[in-house]
Amino acid sequence: MFGSKKFPTTKDGIRIHSASDFAGMHAAGKVAAEILDEMCEHVQPGVSTAELDRLIEDKVTAKGATSATIGYRGYQHASCISINHVVCHGIPSEKRLKDGDILNIDVTVVVDGWFGDTSRMFVAGKLNRKAERLIQVTHDALFKGIEMVKPGNTFGDIGHAIQTYVEAQRMSVVRDFCGHGLGTVFHAPPNVLHYGRAGDGAVLEEGMFFTIEPMVNLGRPETKVLSDDWTAVTRDRSLSAQFEHSIGVTSNGFEIFTLSPENRFHPTY
Ligand code: MF3
Ligand code: CO
Ligand code: CO
């Protein structure tokens, strides 16, 4: 019958998942996180981002997963690699990393139909103090958001926690990109904003799956997309950082599907 729903969703169109669905997301999230763990040793001055992407593609295959990004809206790579003032969706290229570059690597895999989406920051060579602070604040901002995840809180509570923390550090939250629901699809409702007002937005319920993936700039929040139609950069060319986890809402809080098996989510500890 038209309009019948194979899966329960809320009035906002957010799918509510079952206990066995959590297991599927754990398996997918683990593969994505393992791949990023294994990339740590390869991020060095002199390596090109295309070389890093090739390694990622091989690892996806070796783990029996598939890449969610290859073929997604015409994208042809297994990762997005965003260096310095690139905010997100950096395209792997022959460009080589330089000493002191900071970069986000974002990987999304599909395992048994479930999507695992995670990104984190890496450093090539020696980290300078401003970049170190940006990375720390962005990492901690993600966890301020995650700590708000429990039934009864709203998506606005998540965005508000992130924005308040970042702006207190005199940095800015990117408005032009957001987190998203996911599960058996890559991008689903809701849009998970990384700014906003406490109490606004849909109410969180057990069984919702989504990403939180704040992008934080040292300068102003505005971005622009380059002529390749993918690469987003800061308009003022200030440094930008991002961390992303895929998360599920449990009866009393959250589960992170993309935890690093080797505890390497943060690049410096
Ligand atoms: N993984 C990204 C996200 O966090 C999406 C990348 S889409 C791509 O939602 F096509 F640019 F790879
Ligand atoms: Co995402
Ligand atoms: Co991602």
Side-chain angles (χ1 to χ4, degrees), residues 113-132:
W114 295 98
F115 285 67
D117 185 5
T118 183
S119 81
R120 60 174 94 144
M121 297 303 291
F122 295 79
V123 181
K126 191 175 176 307
L127 182 59
N128 76 61
R129 290 229 309 280
K130 267 193 173 165
E132 183 170 17

Side-chain angles (χ1 to χ4, degrees), residues 8-195:
T9 59
T10 67
K11 63 174 163 42
D12 308 286
I14 305 169
R15 185 172 153 189
I16 302 301
H17 299 85
S18 69
S20 63
D21 298 341
F22 275 78
M25 287 299 283
H26 265 293
K30 180 164 180 266
V31 168
E34 277 171 0
I35 290 171
L36 292 183
D37 281 359
E38 292 171 16
M39 291 310 292
C40 294
E41 62 178 292
H42 299 288
V43 175
Q44 298 288 347
V47 72
S48 76
T49 54
E51 286 164 356
L52 294 175
D53 184 70
R54 239 169 276 133
L55 287 167
I56 290 167
E57 187 175 347
D58 290 346
K59 290 175 187 298
V60 172
T61 309
K63 291 171 190 293
T66 58
S67 166
T69 56
I70 296 174
Y72 176 77
R73 298 190 182 197
Y75 195 76
Q76 296 182 354
H77 309 275
S79 62
C80 296
I81 304 184
S82 303
I83 306 173
N84 294 337
H85 71 294
V86 179
V87 173
C88 62
H89 301 163
I91 302 173
S93 74
E94 299 314 314
K95 186 180 169 135
R96 290 182 187 283
L97 298 180
K98 302 184 307 296
D99 186 48
D101 281 347
I102 63 166
L103 52 147
N104 174 280
I105 305 182
D106 190 337
V107 172
T108 310
V109 298
V110 190
V111 176
D112 284 338
W114 295 98
F115 285 67
D117 185 5
T118 183
S119 81
R120 60 174 94 144
M121 297 303 291
F122 295 79
V123 181
K126 191 175 176 307
L127 182 59
N128 76 61
R129 290 229 309 280
K130 267 193 173 165
E132 183 170 17
R133 235 192 108 236
L134 172 66
I135 288 171
Q136 186 67 52
V137 168
T138 310
H139 172 275
D140 292 352
L142 168 59
F143 283 90
K144 296 282 179 194
I146 291 175
E147 282 165 18
M148 300 308 293
V149 175
K150 65 173 182 188
N153 279 358
T154 70
F155 283 96
D157 293 334
I158 296 172
H160 181 74
I162 293 169
Q163 180 180 18
T164 307
Y165 175 72
V166 168
E167 291 179 355
Q169 312 301 313
R170 308 192 62 84
M171 297 181 193
S172 62
V173 174
V174 169
R175 316 288 204 266
D176 300 336
F177 300 92
C178 57
H180 49 93
L182 83 172
T184 57
V185 292
F186 196 171
H187 295 109
N191 288 331
V192 180
L193 307 183
H194 304 114
Y195 60 94

